[in-house]
Amino acid sequence: RAGRAGRVEWVVTELDRGIDALYRAPLGEFTAARNALAKRAGPADAARVKQLAKPTVPAWAVNQLYWRERRTYDALVKASEALRKAHRQLLAGRQADLPAIEAAHRDALKAATAAIRAILQTSGEAATPATMAAVSETLQALPSDDPPGRLTRPLRPLGFEALGTLPTRSSLRAVPKPVPAATPDAGAAKREADAAKREAARVAKALDAARRAEKEAHARRVRAQKALAAAERARDTLQEKLDAATAEVQRLRGELSDSGRAVENAVQERERLERALARLRD
């Protein structure tokens, strides 16, 4: 947008606001609102709008947390970032108050889950076990690279708890350098140093595997999102054709009914005239 004329800057901003409005609106209105926005947009932006995928219920619910309960959303993101930072500190051999940080993260998750359950209830969407399970996984995956408030699919946590290739917390706490014994013992100190090096090497190897798994998982998710978006666009196109066909069927039924009444009226008029003619001839 930088360097463009003021009018172009305004149009882009208005389009972004329109897209945000799509993801803030009730879920059942998404397709119609998206089509209306595409018609209002210019030719270059209409294609972009038409490619926007309709969110699933869990993704829509987390979007509403962002739009309607921003303080709760921000508190969860802050707690998640603190938890990730604590894990990085442990892997680097530094101390971190992991129990307290995890407790704060659990509290933030609990508050966010309760807020989403209330949003679903007031919006008329069912908070089914499957929906809430997907919501929980998405909340645990925040923050992500996806634009906040515009999720279309649930996220999956890819952090330390989700990747089984990473060491357990007990082994992570063993990473910091051992405290020297009160009575110096060169042999014991060397053994402890060697053990710490081996443990650090094991953790580093596990971390590399976890990063590869995370990258592969991201790639699979992107491919799945693209395929699903294409399928949803095809479904929406078919739905529009079905709606148009249904409306045409209703119109033709009405026309048939009207023509039936016209036939009945014509028959009655013919019979009336035949009777009148018969009386005149008699």
Side-chain angles (χ1 to χ4, degrees):
R1 300 176 186 174
R4 295 189 177 184
R7 176 60 182 168
V8 174
E9 176 73 15
W10 182 86
V11 170
V12 172
T13 300
E14 286 302 309
L15 178 63
D16 287 340
R17 290 176 180 171
I19 293 174
D20 283 341
L22 289 180
Y23 291 97
R24 297 179 71 165
L27 187 56
E29 300 176 5
F30 183 89
T31 300
R34 181 188 60 195
N35 295 341
L37 180 61
K39 290 180 180 179
R40 295 197 305 270
D45 294 323
R48 173 190 171 192
V49 173
K50 290 178 181 178
Q51 290 178 352
L52 296 174
K54 180 179 180 180
T56 62
V57 174
W60 177 84
V62 175
N63 288 341
Q64 302 320 298
L65 182 71
Y66 176 81
W67 293 118
R68 305 184 193 183
E69 300 286 345
R70 184 66 61 83
R71 299 176 88 178
T72 303
Y73 181 94
D74 290 344
L76 174 59
V77 169
K78 183 177 179 180
S80 298
E81 290 174 339
L83 182 59
R84 294 178 186 181
K85 180 180 178 181
H87 280 294
R88 289 195 297 268
Q89 288 176 328
L90 289 173
L91 285 172
R94 299 193 300 271
Q95 294 286 351
D97 190 3
L98 194 59
I101 295 172
E102 286 180 331
H105 185 241
R106 284 195 300 271
D107 289 343
L109 279 173
K110 184 177 180 180
T113 301
I116 285 180
R117 195 179 292 276
I119 288 171
L120 288 170
Q121 182 177 4
T122 57
S123 301
E125 300 289 346
T128 65
T131 294
M132 295 310 299
V135 164
S136 178
E137 286 191 341
T138 302
L139 293 177
Q140 292 179 61
L142 294 176
S144 71
D145 294 334
D146 300 83
R150 294 187 183 183
L151 296 179
T152 58
R153 320 270 8 124
L155 304 176
R156 290 192 177 277
L158 296 173
F160 296 95
E161 301 302 328
L163 297 175
T165 55
L166 281 174
T168 60
R169 292 180 189 162
S170 59
S171 63
L172 286 173
R173 292 193 179 97
V175 173
K177 296 180 179 179
V179 179
T183 303
D185 185 335
K190 186 177 184 305
R191 288 192 296 274
E192 290 179 357
D194 291 342
K197 288 180 180 180
R198 290 193 297 272
E199 179 67 10
R202 186 178 74 83
V203 171
K205 183 178 180 181
L207 180 58
D208 288 341
R211 286 171 175 165
R212 289 194 300 272
E214 181 177 5
K215 184 177 180 180
E216 292 172 0
H218 274 300
R220 288 196 302 272
R221 185 177 70 182
V222 169
R223 289 194 297 270
Q225 285 176 332
K226 289 181 179 178
L228 184 58
E232 287 184 333
R233 289 194 299 273
R235 180 202 60 192
D236 292 343
T237 299
L238 292 174
Q239 184 63 51
E240 290 173 1
K241 291 181 179 179
L242 177 60
D243 292 343
T246 300
E248 181 64 10
V249 167
Q250 292 176 345
R251 186 188 69 79
L252 292 174
R253 283 177 176 171
E255 185 176 326
L256 179 61
S257 178
D258 292 342
S259 62
R261 286 193 294 271
V263 168
E264 291 178 359
N265 293 336
V267 169
Q268 291 174 1
E269 179 64 12
R270 176 181 57 78
E271 292 176 346
R272 184 184 70 78
L273 292 173
E274 286 176 345
R275 288 194 298 270
L277 180 58
R279 286 195 299 270
L280 291 173
R281 286 176 176 175
D282 291 344

